[in-house]
Structure formats: structure tokens, C-alpha cells
Amino acid sequence: MDKILEAVVMSSYPNNVKQGLVRRVIEAAKQPMDSEQCWSMLELSTKLYLTGDTKYKREIGKEVLEVYGHYHPEEFEEFFNVRFLLSLLQEGYGPLGKRSHYVLDYIQLGLQFVLESPSANSIFSLLRIEVLRKVCERPSPKLCAKISKLLTQYPQCIPTGKHQLLFCQQLIRCIGQFQCVSEGEEEIMEFLEQVNKVSGLLQRIWRTQTSAILPSLKELFTIISSTEEQEAPSNALASVVQFVPLELMDGVIRNLTNDDSITDVQMMMAIGRMIDWVSWPLGKNIDKWIIALLKGLAAVKKFSILIEVTLSKIEKVFSKLLYPIVREGALSVLQYMLLSFQHSHEAFHLLLPHIPRLVASLKKEDSNSATSSLEQLAELIHCMFFRFSGFPDLYEPVLEAIKALPIPNEDRIKHLLGQNAWTSQKNELACFYPRLASKSETGKIGLINLGNTCYMNSIIQSLFMASDFRHSVLNLTEGNSQPLMTKLQWLFAFLEHSQRPAISPESFLSASWPPWFTPGAQQDCSEYLKYLLDRLHEEEKTGKRIYQKLKESSLMSQAVEHHYLNKTLIEKMFGGKMMTKIRCLKCLNVSSREEAFTDLSLAFPPSDRNVRGSTSILPVEEIGPQFIEPPENAGQLMGSPWIRRKAPKASDHAAPPVSVETLGFQEPGEAANPERGNDVGVDAAKDPLSAFGEQACAPKDSRSVPDLINYFLSPERLTAENKYHCEKCASLQDAEKVAELTEGPHYLILTLLRFSFDPRTMKRKKILDNVSIPVVLKLPILVAPEETEEVCQCGKDGAVPGSGFMTVVYDLCSVVVHSGISSESGHYYCYSRECTDTVPHGQPRDGVPKPASDKQLDFEIQWYLFNDTRVSFSSFESVSNVTSFFPKDTAYVLFYRQRPGRQSCLLHKALAEAGRLHGEPSLHKDLMEAISKDNILFLQEQEKEARNRAAYISALPKSPLWWRDLDRDKDDDSSSGGCSPAAGGGGSGSFHGLVF
């Protein structure tokens, strides 16, 4: 019968004809037959199954085997013996070089017929040894899957005892070497199925033998932490972790992170490879294990590992958000990595160039998964904006991309940041920031944040960029008996000459700390500035005089020379004077008081008050300027810059008031328009503000700095409970109060009073109104008649004798921005530029000094953005638009520098003369040596850190094609970014890029 069957199978008849003949042979096989005939048929069917060159032949072999197993069990058991199986497993079947790939399938097929036979135990014992041997030989994924399929169906063949543990460990090593060599989607799906069968076997073993789990995981960690492997272990290992019971997680992570035998390099290698597992498409709970290990490392303060791994892997994790099949896990890991990395903006900033592209791709995908991920991603980005504010130039494209997505409220943001931080002790991370970095391309040096000290850093950088003040401080001599000023000199010198990217202002902070400030808490930068300037002024004023390097001009009168020599440096640089006049409305008596100031605090007028529409109430001749208003055109002020000193007659034309004139960006030939840009982005800013609750005051109308100065100098009516006690009337009377500037400071500091107490909420709220900032400001200064002629000799468009007022021009040089909605929280950063005199003094032509070009002064000077350690190039456009893009980021303190001429000509001449004689400030010997030593120390630190980081980086798994996914998505408009049929797109190439 075997000859007949073989002849039929090998014949050239059609398969349907063959099938009929084979049916007859199989039916005949169900009848009793002798042992020899059975052996012949079993040998033939074995040959057909194992070496048949077509699927048809193998199917016939399988049918015959099954018939003989059912109807001739004794003969089958005798044929299917231990010796035969051992030969199959060790030597294979078929001609040399063409061994059959179906041996394990054959054994699995035959085992069902010998389960009850006396030889069953011997067969199982043999298979337990042989499958362990096979696994130790590192079989291919396909063969390994067959072993797993066999053992899953016949668990009696699974190795037992110590061999079982060894089998699990070797099976994990096999998985670690799995590689998918094909990029076709069908082949990849087959590979994934094979991996699942193997890991499923492990799950089966662990269910019945839980003692094997921990040794198996230890073997897994050994594989992924190895630094000696030529090739990285397969991401298929992710399939193993998904079957580890989550209740074991805490213990496993605790043991790993507290194991002293595991080096930092091994731990970094392991966590780096685990993070790569986010690309494994069929794993469950993988993200939970990755996050648990990251948290475990934070608990034992392994911050250096966390920092390096986060910075090297976060972009790869981010790129996986393109794929729906792994998006959920990748987003979980990304959320933890970003929300925990709170000591530095580096991790978040790595993603900034890629966020708009990813958002566009997710919007295009238009699936539930994409929509949910977009909302979570937007929440995450707003958390990062909140934590690392002060980068408007970098954040604008990202904000534009997510502007239509929901904005979380501040409580939600604080909750997310609070629960994910590596540590609540910020000082524990101080040594890790800044990381090894080169000096900013701007050449400027940053200041390290010592724990909510951005308020001080912004003020110091603004003072440093006030070049006249900086040069004066640096020119101080050794032993000037001014300890705080000396510390400021050292700080300025390091900011000028250090090679570090950023320096620590710790010594100056401790010396200049207001005693009522709470350590580690956010403070008001304006309050700090006032305290600092007052301390410096009082220190010099009480006898510890600054050595005067600025030699006064011999042309000065003795009185003027005495006036300047007796001023402190703070008075010279920041001191101005203001006259306050109060007029009794009954007797018309006017009392006046002159007082000094170092800054003007500008309140916001009530929303129903139109400052620009104010009218004069008091006679101009007695009170001075009644209001200051931006002119309709730039020529208005130049045509009539003075207020008349006598009341106008009814027949006179209305006298133009003294105005605060502003200059902004102008096209050639275009008149300056101070209103320009005021309403940019106001509508866009309103909606986001609703997210910040009752503490935020939504902008009702955009204002300008001249509006606030106008309000500051406008008349105030003193009535009711606020009546004025008139000495002449000897009683309380209604009165009018007005302020006039009588001496403009060299550096004009303006503080916008944005914080006010809300009795309804019992909290300090912030006024978020967008205030437009002029780059050039022209202020009216009251001049006594006897001074007018003397001042006019210096001015270039000075006062007309007898008029009483002169115009002083100021150039914007610094803007301190507060980001946040409360004075007790938020962040400070500043924009600054270095304003200097661009035209030499004393070069009159036709008797009139040559004016400096507005364009040259205003638009050619480079702006910088100082944000703690980071310094970058910026522009006045960024200064102007910051609140339009970021409603919480508002200008708070402004620094203006007075242009030479008019009232300031004496000081400007002295400063210019000092600059001509001394050039760059020369530092004293001790300070120069300290800077030199620190620069050498920094170079040594750089070399050491570079070596340490090189060791870390070389240990990290290499992923050279991180951005292949995003780049492909950008170039291929037809792709949805998906990788499964449900995603609606993604070819086989993109699928391979996902998994491998």
C-alpha cells in the first residue's frame, strides 16, 4: 500500500484525481493490517511530512500519520520511539544541507497519540532536555516560536526544577537576539506573532512557577545593561516585561536601584534600552515599567543618569507619537520625562523644532487617538511654558501651532509639576545645572538661578547693561570702603570677563538680600531694585566715598562742580527730582515741595478714565504741564515744545501742551505713531486669560507708557476725606495736586504698578493690560527761568529762554518682564541693549550741535534676552509683541537712558571724557587674578566633565535615525502618520521604522 500511495503522490495526475486515490488508501488504512505494512506507511508519511517539496505532499503525510496514530496506536507508539525522536532532534531529517524545518511540527503532531503510552514519560524527559539544548543554541525566531508552540500545547515537555529556571533565562537571551530582517509588513506581522508565542510561553511558566520570575528579570536586566554587546539587544524584549505582574514592580525596582553592584553606566544603558521599547507595538504596561524605573532612580538621587538618559532619548520618544499603535505608551513616558525634568529647559527645548510638525500631523490624522493626544500634548506644553517662561522667541511657533487647543488652569499645571518632580529639594539639583556648555554666541554671560532668584538676575543684568553705570562701578578703586558696591564690582567684572556660560551671584545675593525677603520664595524685582539702589546710595553717602575717576570738566563753574562732586554714584546715574504742587481751590495759594526719586511708579488709570482726553483744570501759569499726550504727528512737539507761562487770552489759539513724545518703528518718511502696535493681539490674548481665574484682570484696552506718565502727572483733586490742610486758610479745603519733573535722571527707571490688592478675593492680583513701550521717549522737564539760558547752551533743540520747560529725550535700554499672574509666583527675565552716545560731544555746525540719528540710536543697537543662565539675541519687535503672544508675560520695570544735550550735558561730558582718558575700565590686581584663576578652573572642570559625559554618552544605545519618522511625515503628504489599517495610512517602510 505504501508503494501505491507513493506512486499516486509522485504522479503527474491533477490534484483532484490524486485526492480521490489518496482517499481510498486512507480508508483502507483504517482496516487491520500487519505491523510491517504499518511501519512502511509510517515511514512514507514521515518522509512526505518532513521533506515534501509542496504543501500538498505535507498535508497527505499529515493525514496518513493521523490515521495510523488513531487506528494503529501500538504500531505508532513503537515507531514514534525515544531513539527515533532523539535522532530527529539531534541529527535532523533529510539529506545533508537540506535538513527539514518541520521536525518540531512533526513531533508536536505525533505526541497526541502517545500521551497514554508507557513510553510517554521517556519521551517527555527527552524533550525537556532537548528543548533546553535547542534554546541554548539560540534558534531563530521561527524555530523558537515552534518550540514555544510545542511546549504550550504539551507543558509536560517544559524543563523542570533548576532546568526550568535556566530554560527561562536562555529563552530571554534568545528573544534578546531576535531580529526581523525583512521590511515587508506581512513578514513583520509574522515576526511579531513569533515573538508573542515565545513571550507567551514565559507567561505560562511564570503563572505556574512564580519563583522563576525574579531570576528571569535579573537575566533580562543583565542583557539590557551589558556594555560589551556588539549589537544592541532586540526591542522584542519588551514583550517579556508586559507579562510581569505589576504587584512585583515596586520590589523589583527597589532592588535594582539599591543594588550597589550595578554601576551607573550599566543602569544608564539599561534604562536607555528600556525607553527604546516604547516603539514595540504590542506591549502592555511597558510605559509603566519605564516610568517606575525612572522614579526609582530619582528616589535614590541618581540625577546624572536621569539627565543624560532624558536628553538623549526624549526626541525618540516624542517621534513615536506619530504612530497610533504605540502612541498611548509613548505619550505616558514623554509626559513623565518632561514633567520631571524641572531643573532645566534643555529637554523641552530639544522638542521645540518638532512640535509644530507633529501637531500638524495629528490634526491631519483626525482620529480619536490623535485628538486625545493633541489635548494631552497641549496641556504638557503649557506646563513647560509655565515652568520655563522667558523664551518668547522660541515659543511663538509652538504657541501658534497649539493656539486652538484647550489651556489648563494654573492649579492643574502646579499639580502636574508638583507630583512629577524628581525631588522637592531644588538645591539637590544645583550641581547639575548648567550642564557642560559653551559661552553664549552673544558673548554675554548668564546668571545661575539660586532658587527663585530670577528677580535679582533680571535686575543685575539690566544694571550691567547700563554701560555708564557699569563703567563707573568697574572703575572703583580697591579699598573704597563700600562692601556692597565692591561685591557688585566683582560681579560685573565676572560678567564682563569670565569664560563661563553662566556664573553664580550667590555672594552678591547674600550681601544685598532684603531682610524681610523669604528665602527660596519669589520676590518683587522692583522692591529689590529700590532696596539695592538705596543701600548703595546710603553706603556711599555715609562717608564711604567712591574714588572719583570721572574728572569733571575744567569749564564747569565751581557751583556746578560742587553739585556733581557731592552726588553719590546712584544719584548721578538714577537720581531725578520732582516738584509736587498743591493749590488751594479757595484762596488759590500754591505750596510746593521738591523731592528726589530713583524710579517713577506708574499706576494704571481707572478703566473709565480717558487720559488722552483730559482737559486743563488749573491755570497753566501756576501749575505747569496739565497733561502730557503723544502728539498727532512728530512735528507737533518740535514746532511748539513749551507750555506758555501765562494764561492764554480768549483771543489766542489754544496752546499745545507739553507732551511725552514717543518714537517706535517707522518706515522712511512715516510719522511716528505712538499708538502703533497697541492693539496687536489683544483679541487673541483675551481667551487664554480666562484660564487663570479671578486673580487675572483681562485687558480692557491697550495702553502705552505715555498714557501712564500722563496719568501720573495729571492733576489730582483732593476732596472729601482727602482734603488738604491749607496753611493760609488754616483749615481743610478742596485742593488740586500736580507733579512736575524738575530734573531728569541719567537713567530713568519706570515701574508699572501691575500688582494690586483685591479685597474681594483677599489676594494680590495682576493687571495684565498690554502696555505698548516706545523705544524713544521725550519728557518735559521744568526749568527755572535763571537756568534756561545756561541749559540752552548745551542743548541741541533746547529751551526757548523764558518758556520754563525743556524736552529731554530718553532711549529704551532694558525691559524687565514678569511672567505669571501673581507677585508671589511666576518668573522674571529681561530684554536689554547697550545704549551709548553715538555722536561725539561739542561738534557744532552753524552754532547748533549735530543731532544723533534716531535710527542709528534706536534700531541698529542689538537687543539681548537674558533669562537666568541663557542669553540670546533678540529684537525690539520681540519686546513689543511678547504680551500679544504670551498674555501672562508683561513689561514690569523699564530702563531708559537720557540722550546727551540739554540738562544732562555736564554729566555726559564727564562720562565721555572719562571714556576718552581711561578707555575700558582697568580692574585692580586682586580682581584680575581672581577672574584669571576662575577661568583656568572652568577649563579644568570642562575637561573633567567632558570625560565623564563621554563615558555616559558612549554607554547609551545608539539611535542614529531618531527623526526618520518625523522627516518622512513632513515629506510625504499622503501619509497619515499611522501604521495599522485602523490608522488609515503608513506603508511598510514606516511600519519597520516604528518597530525597529
Side-chain angles (χ1 to χ4, degrees):
M1 190 178 292
D2 58 303
K3 300 295 183 184
I4 296 172
L5 179 61
E6 186 173 14
V8 169
V9 171
M10 300 301 176
S11 70
S12 58
Y13 293 131
N15 282 348
N16 60 336
V17 176
K18 290 182 183 180
Q19 191 64 33
L21 296 173
V22 169
R23 281 282 126 224
R24 293 183 183 181
V25 173
I26 289 176
E27 288 298 322
K30 295 178 181 179
Q31 305 302 319
M33 64 177 63
D34 59 61
S35 177
E36 184 178 349
Q37 183 64 42
C38 284
W39 269 76
S40 298
M41 287 297 288
L42 286 170
E43 285 178 344
L44 175 60
S45 59
T46 298
K47 178 182 176 182
L48 287 173
Y49 187 89
L50 291 175
T51 62
D53 55 0
T54 64
K55 185 178 180 180
Y56 176 71
K57 292 177 182 179
R58 291 196 299 274
E59 285 294 328
I60 291 176
K62 178 184 176 183
E63 284 189 55
V64 173
L65 279 170
E66 289 175 336
V67 168
Y68 277 84
H70 277 295
Y71 293 96
H72 306 281
E74 293 179 2
E75 286 79 3
F76 187 90
E77 180 184 344
E78 186 180 351
F79 177 82
F80 201 77
N81 59 64
V82 171
R83 184 179 298 176
F84 174 59
L85 295 181
L86 181 63
S87 172
L88 284 178
L89 290 167
Q90 292 190 352
E91 298 173 15
Y93 189 93
L96 196 64
K98 291 186 178 181
R99 298 299 191 191
S100 173
H101 299 297
Y102 301 101
V103 169
L104 288 172
D105 304 271
Y106 175 81
I107 293 174
Q108 183 177 351
L109 177 65
L111 278 177
Q112 61 183 308
F113 304 113
V114 297
L115 292 177
E116 304 297 330
S117 70
S119 63
N121 287 334
S122 298
I123 291 175
F124 292 150
S125 179
L126 168 69
L127 288 175
R128 283 194 286 268
I129 295 172
E130 285 301 306
V131 294
L132 177 58
R133 181 184 63 80
K134 285 280 187 184
V135 168
C136 290
E137 292 174 353
R138 305 288 180 268
S140 66
K142 186 175 183 178
L143 185 55
C144 217
K146 288 185 177 183
I147 293 174
S148 300
K149 184 179 178 182
L150 170 65
L151 300 187
T152 300
Q153 185 173 351
Y154 300 106
Q156 306 95 317
C157 302
I158 297 174
T160 57
K162 292 182 179 178
H163 286 169
Q164 186 179 82
L165 179 57
L166 179 60
F167 177 77
C168 290
Q169 292 172 328
Q170 293 301 316
L171 200 59
I172 289 173
R173 287 206 168 267
C174 282
I175 297 174
Q177 293 190 357
F178 285 177
Q179 298 295 336
C180 183
V181 294
S182 172
E183 292 195 3
E185 191 163 338
E186 288 185 9
E187 289 82 357
I188 290 176
M189 293 302 297
E190 183 182 357
F191 173 75
L192 294 175
E193 187 178 349
Q194 293 164 356
V195 173
N196 270 353
K197 284 181 181 177
V198 179
S199 58
L201 174 62
L202 279 171
Q203 179 191 25
R204 184 186 183 93
I205 295 174
W206 289 346
R207 279 178 180 170
T208 58
Q209 198 69 35
T210 55
S211 61
I213 296 178
L214 293 181
S216 299
L217 289 181
K218 186 174 182 180
E219 189 70 20
L220 172 64
F221 187 82
T222 301
I223 295 170
I224 63 176
S225 64
S226 173
T227 59
E228 300 173 359
E229 300 289 339
Q230 294 295 322
E231 290 187 8
S234 171
N235 282 348
L237 287 170
S239 65
V240 175
V241 176
Q242 66 181 326
F243 296 123
V244 181
L246 292 179
E247 55 266 25
L248 296 179
M249 181 183 288
D250 289 343
V252 170
I253 298 300
R254 190 164 52 250
N255 290 339
L256 279 178
T257 54
N258 288 281
D259 189 341
D260 293 335
S261 66
I262 299 174
T263 66
D264 284 359
V265 172
Q266 288 175 320
M267 184 61 77
M268 182 176 296
M269 182 69 78
I271 186 61
R273 285 170 172 165
M274 282 182 68
I275 290 172
D276 288 343
W277 293 350
V278 297
S279 63
W280 187 255
L282 299 174
K284 297 178 181 177
N285 300 326
I286 294 171
D287 56 323
K288 293 183 176 66
W289 280 95
I290 294 171
I291 293 170
L293 184 52
L294 291 172
K295 287 182 175 179
L297 291 172
V300 295
K301 306 190 188 315
K302 296 283 188 179
F303 301 128
S304 58
I305 297 176
L306 290 167
I307 289 170
E308 294 299 340
V309 167
T310 301
L311 293 177
S312 62
K313 293 294 182 180
I314 196 165
E315 290 174 286
K316 184 174 185 180
V317 174
F318 182 79
S319 71
K320 299 309 170 188
L321 298 183
L322 282 169
Y323 303 99
I325 199 168
V326 297
R327 184 175 291 151
E328 184 179 355
L331 186 56
S332 295
V333 175
L334 179 72
Q335 284 173 324
Y336 179 76
M337 292 175 85
L338 274 182
L339 290 171
S340 63
F341 202 94
Q342 294 186 27
H343 71 289
S344 160
H345 54 258
E346 290 173 281
F348 178 49
H349 285 193
L350 285 174
L351 305 181
L352 293 179
H354 314 294
I355 290 175
R357 258 189 293 164
L358 177 69
V359 170
S361 177
L362 292 177
K363 287 180 178 178
K364 182 180 177 182
E365 184 182 314
D366 193 25
S367 66
N368 290 337
S369 167
T371 302
S372 173
S373 297
L374 270 175
E375 292 178 356
Q376 293 179 68
L377 183 63
E379 180 178 72
L380 187 58
I381 292 169
H382 281 290
C383 286
M384 294 297 99
F385 284 168
F386 181 88
R387 180 64 188 86
F388 304 115
S389 56
F391 302 94
D393 297 348
L394 292 177
Y395 292 170
E396 282 179 16
V398 176
L399 190 67
E400 181 67 23
I402 64 169
K403 65 182 180 181
L405 298 170
I407 301 174
N409 61 43
E410 187 170 349
D411 288 340
R412 169 67 176 166
I413 290 173
K414 288 179 176 178
H415 172 72
L416 290 172
L417 291 171
Q419 72 177 7
N420 288 287
W422 286 337
T423 174
S424 59
Q425 306 299 318
K426 293 182 180 179
N427 58 337
E428 291 180 339
L429 288 164
C431 59
F432 296 103
Y433 185 72
R435 294 169 67 252
L436 178 63
S438 58
K439 199 170 179 179
S440 165
E441 61 180 354
T442 63
K444 305 296 181 183
I445 296 173
L447 289 168
I448 295 172
N449 191 316
L450 302 172
N452 280 328
T453 58
C454 54
Y455 67 90
M456 178 189 70
N457 291 348
S458 298
I459 292 300
I460 289 175
Q461 295 285 20
S462 297
L463 292 174
F464 178 80
M465 292 296 284
S467 54
D468 300 330
F469 178 65
R470 179 179 74 244
H471 290 156
S472 298
V473 172
L474 291 176
N475 273 318
L476 289 173
T477 57
E478 192 174 7
N480 56 69
S481 302
Q482 297 179 78
L484 184 57
M485 187 66 84
T486 299
K487 286 185 179 293
L488 183 62
Q489 181 190 42
W490 278 62
L491 184 55
F492 278 6
F494 271 82
L495 285 173
E496 185 94 23
H497 299 291
S498 178
Q499 293 301 313
R500 294 181 183 273
I503 60 175
S504 171
E506 186 173 5
S507 175
F508 188 77
L509 173 65
S510 59
S512 63
W513 182 277
W516 61 89
F517 276 17
T518 304
Q522 185 60 278
Q523 305 294 342
D524 188 327
C525 76
S526 173
E527 186 177 3
Y528 174 76
L529 174 61
K530 288 182 176 72
Y531 177 79
L532 175 62
L533 295 182
D534 186 59
R535 277 276 308 276
L536 293 171
H537 168 69
E538 290 299 326
E539 190 177 75
E540 181 181 355
K541 185 180 176 183
T542 54
K544 300 169 185 178
R545 293 288 181 185
I546 296 176
Y547 174 73
Q548 186 61 264
K549 276 192 174 181
L550 304 177
K551 296 181 179 179
E552 309 297 337
S553 170
S554 58
L555 298 176
M556 289 184 186
S557 66
Q558 286 189 349
V560 173
E561 185 175 1
H562 177 78
H563 174 70
Y564 274 101
L565 286 173
N566 281 279
K567 279 190 170 185
T568 65
L569 179 59
I570 299 305
E571 286 177 311
K572 290 178 184 177
M573 293 294 162
F574 305 102
K577 290 183 180 178
M578 180 169 44
M579 181 77 73
T580 303
K581 295 180 180 181
I582 302 178
R583 182 182 189 230
C584 174
L585 294 181
K586 183 178 181 182
C587 68
L588 302 182
N589 181 58
V590 178
S591 63
S592 60
R593 183 182 74 256
E594 189 174 53
E595 49 193 353
F597 67 87
T598 52
D599 81 312
L600 295 180
S601 298
L602 305 179
F604 283 72
S607 56
D608 59 347
R609 168 119 183 211
N610 185 357
V611 177
R612 296 180 188 131
S614 298
T615 57
S616 174
I617 298 175
L618 300 184
V620 178
E621 62 175 0
E622 294 182 11
I623 302 301
Q626 297 304 298
F627 67 100
I628 48 182
E629 179 180 4
E632 292 301 319
N633 56 68
Q636 178 180 327
L637 185 68
M638 293 301 149
S640 182
W642 315 114
I643 284 188
R644 303 183 184 184
R645 297 301 294 171
K646 62 178 181 178
K649 298 177 182 177
S651 59
D652 290 343
H653 293 291
V658 174
S659 306
V660 175
E661 184 175 3
T662 63
L663 297 176
F665 281 116
Q666 290 176 258
E667 298 296 332
E670 179 184 348
N673 184 2
E675 304 301 317
R676 184 174 178 178
N678 288 4
D679 55 356
V680 175
V682 171
D683 292 337
K686 285 180 181 177
D687 290 339
L689 287 173
S690 60
F692 301 113
E694 295 182 353
Q695 290 188 7
C697 302
K700 296 180 176 61
D701 186 23
S702 182
R703 302 185 182 275
S704 66
V705 170
D707 290 339
L708 303 189
I709 300 177
N710 180 7
Y711 182 57
F712 179 82
L713 296 179
S714 63
E716 177 186 0
R717 178 68 69 93
L718 305 177
T719 60
E721 295 179 358
N722 212 17
K723 283 188 176 183
Y724 165 68
H725 186 274
C726 176
E727 293 182 1
K728 190 171 181 180
C729 298
S731 61
L732 293 174
Q733 296 294 336
D734 288 350
E736 292 265 0
K737 182 173 75 171
V738 72
E740 298 168 334
L741 301 179
T742 57
E743 183 179 320
H746 185 61
Y747 284 102
L748 173 66
I749 300 175
L750 303 176
T751 300
L752 312 187
L753 298 179
R754 290 189 173 275
F755 301 110
S756 60
F757 183 76
D758 187 345
R760 187 171 60 86
T761 61
M762 300 301 289
K763 292 181 179 179
R764 289 184 77 194
K765 64 179 182 180
K766 180 179 176 182
I767 300 170
L768 293 168
D769 292 19
N770 189 6
V771 176
S772 63
I773 305 168
V775 71
V776 176
L777 189 67
K778 295 189 177 183
L779 288 178
I781 302 295
L782 179 65
V783 180
E786 62 270 15
E787 297 177 11
T788 305
E789 265 189 59
E790 183 180 352
V791 174
C792 286
Q793 294 171 7
C794 292
K796 46 193 179 191
D797 54 346
V800 177
S803 68
F805 282 91
M806 54 174 267
T807 302
V808 177
V809 181
Y810 283 91
D811 295 295
L812 181 67
C813 53
S814 288
V815 179
V816 178
V817 176
H818 177 262
S819 175
I821 62 169
S822 167
S823 60
E824 291 82 21
S825 63
H827 178 64
Y828 288 99
Y829 57 95
C830 75
Y831 293 93
S832 285
R833 61 174 183 164
E834 199 162 339
C835 292
T836 56
D837 301 336
T838 57
V839 178
H841 300 285
Q843 293 182 358
R845 184 174 61 185
D846 301 327
V848 180
K850 181 182 177 182
S853 163
D854 280 344
K855 183 171 180 60
Q856 188 178 20
L857 274 174
D858 303 333
F859 304 116
E860 293 181 359
I861 302 175
Q862 178 64 57
W863 282 91
Y864 302 95
L865 176 57
F866 294 89
N867 188 3
D868 288 334
T869 55
R870 185 179 184 272
V871 187
S872 57
F873 290 114
S874 191
S875 65
F876 182 67
E877 184 179 9
S878 179
V879 179
S880 304
N881 295 333
V882 62
T883 307
S884 299
F885 282 98
F886 302 92
K888 292 191 303 175
D889 292 27
T890 53
Y892 184 40
V893 179
L894 314 177
F895 287 72
Y896 281 88
R897 180 184 184 272
Q898 188 178 143
R899 283 194 191 172
R902 313 177 186 73
Q903 191 186 41
S904 65
C905 62
L906 301 176
L907 179 56
H908 277 278
K909 282 185 177 180
L911 291 169
E913 182 67 14
R916 187 181 65 80
L917 293 176
H918 304 290
E920 282 298 311
S922 57
L923 307 178
H924 57 77
K925 183 179 178 183
D926 288 350
L927 185 48
M928 291 176 65
E929 288 181 357
I931 294 171
S932 179
K933 285 181 181 178
D934 186 69
N935 285 339
I936 294 172
L937 177 63
F938 172 62
L939 292 176
Q940 293 170 346
E941 291 171 358
Q942 270 195 316
E943 292 173 2
K944 181 180 179 181
E945 191 172 349
R947 286 194 297 269
N948 292 341
R949 287 196 68 234
Y952 277 137
I953 296 301
S954 64
L956 288 168
K958 302 297 187 294
S959 301
L961 301 178
W962 284 353
W963 289 105
R964 172 170 63 178
D965 305 321
L966 284 175
D967 289 340
R968 179 186 299 110
D969 186 75
K970 180 182 179 183
D971 297 335
D972 182 11
D973 290 336
S974 64
S975 170
S976 70
C979 62
S980 65
S988 59
S990 64
F991 194 95
H992 190 271
L994 161 68
V995 186
F996 313 105

